[in-house]
Amino acid sequence: MAKIERFHAKGKEISLVGTGHVLRKSVLAVRKEIRGFCPDTVALELDMNRFIAIERGTKATPKGLVQHALFWLQKRAGETTGVRPGAEMLAAAKEAREHNVPVALIDRDIRITLGRALRNITLSEKLKLAWGAIGGFFEVGDKAKLDSLIGQKDELMGEFERELPSVYKALVTERDSHMATAIQSIPAARVLVVVGAGHMPGIRKRLEYRK
């Protein structure tokens, strides 16, 4: 499943593709939209290190209890809200290359993001992460449930923000702003952007606000 929004902002025509969880559906939707939209550039919610890791099939190794918890949180958040980049990102890059379309990596370096989360996290949030107090929040069910979660992303992300505001700010709010700025800087008139569904409202709001 993927959600697609087309709009104009800052002199650009943008197709914002929010990915979901049934990866085959996300992959097909992304490739179809690239063919239909005919972008000048395809922008991905990845930084260079994660792009290389995903292409090679390697995984980052977190250090320390809290960082392990943050990596776990990102993984679980991705499984429920579409935030985690994966097969659909690689499919988008491959489709772009097949059509000789440039690929832009618009996300902030993951090391900076985790560093900011670790610096700003409160004791209460550390305890929630370390002891898995929010494990039920990102509970994943069967395929039918996963199919419906993209429609619940606002509720899920709202709960994430309430429970872990400092972590949410580093993982979501700041990255939304970073990616919106990166999109604006792309020298192209038609940009197709592939992000997790949880990032769609924040990115679009910032792009349209900066018209």
Side-chain angles (χ1 to χ4, degrees):
M1 176 184 286
K3 182 177 180 181
I4 299 171
E5 297 178 356
R6 293 186 182 183
F7 58 96
H8 289 82
K10 202 68 174 180
K12 300 182 187 297
E13 187 173 358
I14 295 172
S15 174
L16 186 60
V17 182
T19 59
H21 294 288
V22 182
L23 291 181
R24 178 172 174 77
K25 291 183 178 180
S26 289
V27 168
L28 293 175
V30 166
R31 299 190 76 137
K32 181 178 179 181
E33 180 65 3
I34 291 174
R35 295 167 190 167
F37 185 68
C38 300
D40 300 320
T41 297
V42 171
L44 305 179
E45 181 207 331
L46 291 171
D47 63 355
M48 182 58 72
N49 288 327
R50 285 188 296 150
F51 182 61
I52 293 172
I54 288 174
E55 279 202 313
R56 294 177 178 175
T58 58
K59 296 181 179 180
T61 303
K63 298 177 181 179
L65 179 60
V66 174
Q67 196 174 89
H68 271 282
L70 286 172
F71 268 87
W72 170 84
L73 176 61
Q74 281 195 304
K75 179 178 182 294
R76 298 301 284 174
E79 288 171 351
T80 56
T81 64
V83 174
R84 179 182 59 87
E88 70 274 31
M89 298 291 170
L90 291 179
K94 181 178 180 180
E95 189 72 26
R97 289 166 180 164
E98 289 176 357
H99 291 84
N100 295 315
V101 175
V103 172
L105 305 179
I106 60 171
D107 205 358
R108 183 171 66 182
D109 189 312
I110 186 62
R111 294 168 296 185
I112 295 175
T113 294
L114 288 176
R116 288 187 59 77
L118 289 168
R119 283 195 299 274
N120 297 321
I121 193 170
T122 65
L123 177 59
S124 173
E125 290 172 319
K126 285 182 180 179
L127 291 173
K128 287 179 181 179
L129 285 171
W131 298 105
I134 61 167
F137 168 47
F138 288 120
E139 190 64 37
V140 177
D142 57 24
K143 281 191 174 182
K145 183 177 179 182
L146 290 175
D147 268 338
S148 70
L149 280 172
I150 194 167
Q152 304 171 30
K153 63 178 173 52
D154 292 340
E155 179 182 346
L156 290 168
M157 297 303 279
E159 188 172 350
F160 178 14
E161 184 175 14
R162 289 191 297 273
E163 291 292 330
L164 299 166
S166 298
V167 179
Y168 181 92
K169 181 180 179 182
L171 298 187
V172 181
T173 306
E174 292 179 0
R175 289 173 61 214
D176 287 350
S177 182
H178 180 95
M179 288 190 282
T181 299
I183 292 166
Q184 282 186 267
S185 69
I186 294 172
R190 294 171 64 83
V191 182
L192 185 143
V193 184
V194 184
V195 296
H199 286 292
M200 291 182 74
I203 289 175
R204 179 165 184 173
K205 178 181 178 181
R206 285 163 176 78
L207 288 171
E208 292 184 326
Y209 178 75
R210 297 172 185 176
K211 282 185 180 180

